[in-house]
Amino acid sequence: MIIWINGAFSAGKTSAARELIDLIPDSTLYDPEIVGGALRYLLPQKRLAEVTDYQDLPMWRRMVVDTAAAMLAEVGGVLVVPMTLLRQEYRDEIFGGLAARRISVHHVVLTPDETILRGRIAGREEYDADPDGNERVRQWAYDHIEPYRAALDGWLATDAYAVDNSRLTPHETAGAIARAVREGAVDACEIVQTPEPTGETLAAGVLLFDEQDRVLLVDPTYKPGWEFPGGVVEPGEPPARAGMREVAEEIGLELESVPRLLLVDWEPPRPPGYGGLRLLFDGGRLTRAQADGVLLPGAELRGWRFVTEEEASGMLPPNRYERLRWALRARERGTVLNLEAGVPVGTA
């Protein structure tokens, strides 16, 4: 299991985490900041220059999950993780990846008063001989107070157990967290994800359209980017029926007829993924009443919307967008396309 201590920069997460491992038997400190530091040596400077925060690197988010799983396999017990996560989609991706490995996460957020928080930031000294470096660190923390407050006023307030450590020492803060976990006040996060594949998979997606011929996309909680309703085909399950099942499970719509196949796309293996066949079906045009009846009954999806092809280009990852683009062409032509890595093959 993991106890994830969230909060603003300088809220006291790391100090509390160091005290917490003395209060919880068989626990180990795991700081994902170290993973971020390693990326400075692993990635080309050109790639690093493209982001202002290493959390924006998909590689960092994958490594945070993989490293946590490896540590638990190595040392067992409980991992105590002091790490600021202010973007809900990053929290969803990381916690979802951990859920896929059957690792439960107990989420805590430290909520000191802003006056006290600003005072702690002002006193930060991380570089003994580099006043400019200390000033950059302090300014970074100040700049992230507003995003922290926005998260706390939104998704973070309902997602994490709050501990007001305004007037608590790190040891007292750790004690409050330990008691809350021990007494069951900090429930395991309910985010879900299907187990990671161990080989090639067959997946079926269904395209659904509104009266303006916009396509319906859904926003998964467990991975970045938008997606089509659908999922992995179970052993012995007909692919089109799998797509119908996924539509019912994900958005609460029961399709009346078996959808027509639009394309087959072979996705090559790209570590850590194994690739496989991806099928897209035409689920038809929804009436206004059907569109109004779209629901999100499970915890796997955060939202849904109808979008144009142009809008989809900025929402879907590149490989999914290419799949959508060719599926729409197949729909226009009344044909079926065969793709390999997003490129049509076998056509005149």
Side-chain angles (χ1 to χ4, degrees):
M1 96 181 231
I2 287 177
I3 300 174
W4 193 291
I5 306 177
N6 206 342
F9 296 101
S10 299
K13 302 181 298 297
T14 302
S15 299
R18 289 175 178 148
E19 297 284 346
L20 187 58
I21 60 174
D22 292 331
L23 301 179
I24 296 181
D26 198 23
S27 61
T28 304
L29 179 66
Y30 164 42
D31 190 348
E33 288 275 2
I34 297 172
V35 176
L39 294 182
R40 290 198 292 268
Y41 301 95
L42 296 173
L43 291 177
Q45 286 301 313
K46 179 181 178 181
R47 179 69 182 104
L48 292 172
E50 294 173 354
V51 299
T52 57
D53 188 336
Y54 55 74
Q55 291 196 10
D56 296 331
L57 294 165
M59 180 178 178
W60 178 81
R61 303 192 295 274
R62 287 196 298 268
M63 289 178 66
V64 167
V65 173
D66 292 341
T67 304
M71 286 190 65
L72 284 172
E74 189 74 25
V75 301
V78 177
L79 289 188
V80 177
V81 182
M83 189 70 220
T84 298
L85 281 178
L86 304 183
R87 295 185 59 169
Q88 186 178 10
E89 61 267 35
Y90 291 174
R91 170 268 188 204
D92 291 344
E93 183 180 349
I94 292 171
F95 287 15
L98 293 167
R101 291 163 171 78
R102 302 296 185 261
I103 300 171
S104 63
V105 181
H106 298 255
H107 194 189
V108 176
V109 59
L110 302 184
T111 60
D113 292 338
E114 186 168 333
T115 301
I116 292 174
L117 177 62
R118 288 183 176 274
R120 292 175 182 174
I121 293 173
R124 286 187 69 152
E125 296 285 344
E126 297 192 13
Y127 304 100
D128 294 337
D130 185 3
D132 291 339
N134 284 322
E135 183 57 32
R136 286 194 297 272
V137 169
R138 287 192 286 266
Q139 190 58 52
W140 174 270
Y142 285 131
D143 290 344
H144 284 75
I145 290 178
E146 187 60 33
Y148 158 70
R149 288 299 175 194
L152 193 61
D153 291 341
W155 69 273
L156 191 51
T158 56
D159 193 79
Y161 178 86
V163 174
D164 184 350
N165 65 328
S166 300
R167 293 167 179 81
L168 301 180
T169 66
H171 182 74
E172 291 169 336
T173 302
I177 296 172
R179 284 193 300 275
V181 172
R182 184 171 58 250
E183 295 170 1
V186 188
D187 293 329
C189 291
E190 294 183 352
I191 191 167
V192 297
Q193 188 186 41
T194 53
E196 289 206 339
T198 57
E200 290 186 353
T201 54
L202 173 63
V206 179
L207 301 185
L208 299 165
F209 301 88
D210 69 0
E211 295 173 339
Q212 302 175 48
D213 253 4
R214 297 178 301 176
V215 66
L216 188 147
L217 298 183
V218 294
D219 185 12
T221 58
Y222 53 86
K223 62 182 176 181
W226 290 64
E227 182 60 281
F228 328 108
V232 174
V233 179
E234 300 294 340
E237 186 179 26
R241 301 286 180 175
M244 297 173 70
R245 171 182 55 77
E246 290 284 349
V247 167
E249 292 176 358
E250 292 185 352
I251 58 175
L253 290 182
E254 298 283 349
L255 298 182
E256 296 179 359
S257 58
V258 177
R260 182 176 71 86
L261 181 63
L262 291 173
L263 65 76
V264 178
D265 186 16
W266 173 75
E267 185 175 286
R270 293 189 180 94
Y274 291 88
L277 289 180
R278 309 292 179 249
L279 282 63
L280 277 183
F281 294 88
D282 184 356
R285 186 175 288 112
L286 301 181
T287 64
R288 177 67 61 86
Q290 287 175 312
D292 291 342
V294 172
L295 302 172
L296 299 179
E300 296 184 18
L301 300 178
R302 181 168 40 235
W304 65 274
R305 58 184 290 196
F306 287 107
V307 300
T308 64
E309 182 177 346
E310 182 179 359
E311 290 171 330
S313 67
M315 300 169 63
L316 293 170
N319 64 330
R320 289 181 216 149
Y321 173 67
E322 284 301 302
R323 205 170 290 147
L324 171 66
R325 188 169 71 88
W326 286 113
L328 294 178
R329 303 294 83 78
R331 182 171 182 258
E332 292 168 356
R333 301 168 191 170
T335 189
V336 177
L337 291 176
N338 180 31
L339 278 60
E340 292 182 358
V343 179
V345 295
T347 57

